Amino acid sequence: MTSDVRKLPTGFGRLWTAQTVSSLGDGVTHAALPLLALTLTRDPMALAVVTAAGTLPWLLFGVLGGALVDRWDRRRTMWFADAARAVLLAIPAAAAAAALDALSIPLLAAVAFLLGLGGLFFDTAATAYLPDLLRRDPALLERANSRLRGAQTAMSGFAGPPAGSALLALGRAVPLLADAVSFALSALLVRTLPAMPRPVPEAHESLLRQARAGASYVFRDRVLLGLALRPAVGNVAFLAVETVLALFAHDRLGIDTFGFGLLLTAEATGGLLGAAIASFLGRRLGTGTALTCTAAVEGLAILGLAAAPNPYVAGLALAVCGAGMGATMVLAPSLRQAIVPAHLMGRVASTSRMLSMCAAPIGAVLGGWLATTYGIRTPLYAAAGLLLAMTAVTASMTSNRRVEAALRAAAPDHPASEEPAPESAPTLL
């Protein structure tokens, strides 16, 4: 992808601010919900239910949600999702219940599930809206995604979790109310975004058929399939590591609770660096080669973590891995947004996200089984092997040659990219 000296449009600044504020609230709740659950029970399975509830919407409704987003006005969908989440956290069923000591594990699981459902619609709509806002310009998409990813990492990875813990000390309702305010502010900002043409309706097709068409579009396109497999296999590897990381850090590296927090901060710091240099890597190496390199970097970094003799080497390895992940999560979505037709963007994005979410539980189970059967370092070595294997997949499926061909096919003056003029579509409300 070539460089572009043009500035990002004013509307992007409002979208970036909205997602930054919302990410801060997400970080607060991400820390607060498990801690709230911990005040109610010490049962690991009950705690796992609360954690898993937030991912269920992607597993159950991911593709259908994408099909709905491709029918609806994307800006209005984002606004509605944020407004609904603000109300959810502000009503007595969530925040007031916490203050009145009326919390329960089922209630927390329900809140996590509904927040996840709102996140599904907001994230999918935002992913589909951004290419329209930036007129599908590949260079601008990379710059925009770099800023969005950097803000998300900073807010949800650095600022949000400590803030959630601190607010919880002021009262069990406080972090939930703070998150409600963040969603309300985000909704107000989204409301001011410029309107974009609604997706072209696909006449006489059921929602299920449209969802299936979006999923099949991913599996038929070699570049899109490569972009979808990368996070899916990556989640298997990373969840296998995450499952045993705290135990590995404590038993093998002698890291205490505070030190473990610093270890995670090192990974987040690497993620910020990776997001910042992603556009440079794409321009210097080509997007395809850059994706191949980040896959290799992630695998080698986890291999270094598995063999780490002390906390300093482990922290460096996680920082390098985070940098690879940060760059990947800018380059891959930017490429997808540049080559997917506008009327399929929601379904393609949600299908890719669903594949990665489905892979996460597999990684968690695999990590636990390998650690129990073969030792605590084994899941880390297995994860490194999976990530290095992805290097070969990325090299073939998303090579520079394939990427450039896909970008040419998606260019506005290319015959294959021509689309009908936008028509009216069903409104969300």
Side-chain angles (χ1 to χ4, degrees):
M1 296 185 184
T2 59
S3 61
D4 198 315
V5 297
R6 289 176 295 164
K7 293 182 179 180
L8 292 165
T10 304
F12 172 76
R14 295 196 291 272
L15 178 63
W16 177 85
T17 304
Q19 291 201 292
T20 299
V21 170
S22 183
S23 293
L24 177 61
D26 287 341
V28 168
T29 305
H30 183 70
L33 277 183
L35 291 174
L36 283 170
L38 202 59
T39 66
L40 302 172
T41 181
R42 294 284 174 172
D43 181 358
M45 288 305 298
L47 298 176
V49 165
V50 175
T51 302
T55 65
L56 277 180
W58 285 100
L59 305 183
L60 299 177
F61 309 118
V63 178
L64 287 176
L68 287 170
V69 166
D70 282 338
R71 289 184 172 193
W72 293 339
D73 182 293
R74 275 81 182 257
R75 182 186 63 165
R76 186 172 291 185
T77 302
M78 288 189 285
W79 173 84
F80 185 82
D82 266 353
R85 287 187 287 180
V87 171
L88 168 69
L89 288 169
I91 59 176
L100 297 173
D101 293 327
L103 281 177
S104 65
I105 292 298
L107 177 59
L108 289 178
V111 170
F113 178 84
L114 292 173
L115 288 176
L117 187 63
L120 184 159
F121 283 106
F122 183 93
D123 292 347
T124 303
T127 299
Y129 177 84
L130 187 62
D132 291 337
L133 179 66
L134 303 183
R135 301 186 181 279
R136 308 175 70 79
D137 185 297
L140 291 182
L141 283 168
E142 281 188 357
R143 288 169 56 195
N145 279 307
S146 175
R147 296 186 186 185
L148 289 170
R149 179 62 187 169
Q152 182 184 22
T153 301
M155 293 297 104
S156 63
F158 285 108
S165 301
L167 290 172
L168 190 62
L170 301 177
R172 293 200 290 180
V174 177
L176 298 177
L177 288 172
D179 198 10
V181 171
S182 78
F183 283 130
L185 291 174
S186 177
L188 290 174
L189 286 166
V190 166
R191 194 73 173 174
T192 69
L193 292 174
M196 293 292 153
R198 292 177 180 173
V200 179
E202 298 173 38
H204 310 301
E205 282 199 1
S206 67
L207 182 65
L208 186 60
R209 184 183 293 272
Q210 288 181 349
R212 201 161 50 234
S216 64
Y217 190 86
V218 173
F219 286 98
R220 289 199 310 267
D221 188 288
R222 197 168 180 83
V223 172
L224 290 176
L225 182 58
L227 294 177
L229 287 176
R230 173 75 181 274
V233 174
N235 265 0
V236 174
F238 294 132
L239 264 293
V241 173
E242 186 176 321
T243 299
V244 300
L245 185 59
L247 187 60
F248 171 76
H250 182 269
D251 289 0
R252 294 292 185 269
L253 302 177
I255 297 176
D256 59 14
T257 302
F258 178 75
F260 183 67
L262 292 178
L263 199 64
L264 297 181
T265 301
E267 183 178 11
T269 303
L272 284 174
L273 175 62
I277 65 173
S279 294
F280 169 78
L281 293 176
R283 293 193 303 269
R284 191 65 180 267
L285 304 176
T287 300
T289 300
L291 286 169
T292 301
C293 290
T294 57
V297 164
E298 291 168 10
L300 291 172
I302 295 299
L303 189 63
L305 175 65
N310 58 59
Y312 304 104
V313 174
L316 177 61
L318 280 175
V320 172
C321 182
M325 293 169 64
T328 300
M329 295 181 75
V330 170
L331 293 169
S334 300
L335 176 57
R336 186 184 296 113
Q337 289 167 332
I339 66 177
V340 173
H343 68 284
L344 285 167
M345 191 66 246
R347 282 167 284 177
V348 169
S350 60
T351 297
S352 301
R353 181 73 177 270
M354 188 188 69
L355 287 174
S356 66
M357 296 297 285
C358 288
I362 298 173
V365 173
L366 178 65
W369 176 75
L370 287 173
T372 302
T373 308
Y374 299 105
I376 197 67
R377 292 185 189 267
T378 307
L380 279 65
Y381 285 117
L386 278 174
L387 292 170
L388 290 173
M390 275 308 299
T391 304
V393 174
T394 303
S396 62
M397 299 183 77
T398 56
S399 64
N400 277 347
R401 179 178 60 82
R402 290 186 183 277
V403 167
E404 292 303 323
L407 288 171
R408 285 195 300 271
D413 58 350
H414 192 282
S417 67
E418 294 178 0
E419 298 178 17
E423 301 174 11
S424 60
T427 60
L428 180 64
L429 299 178

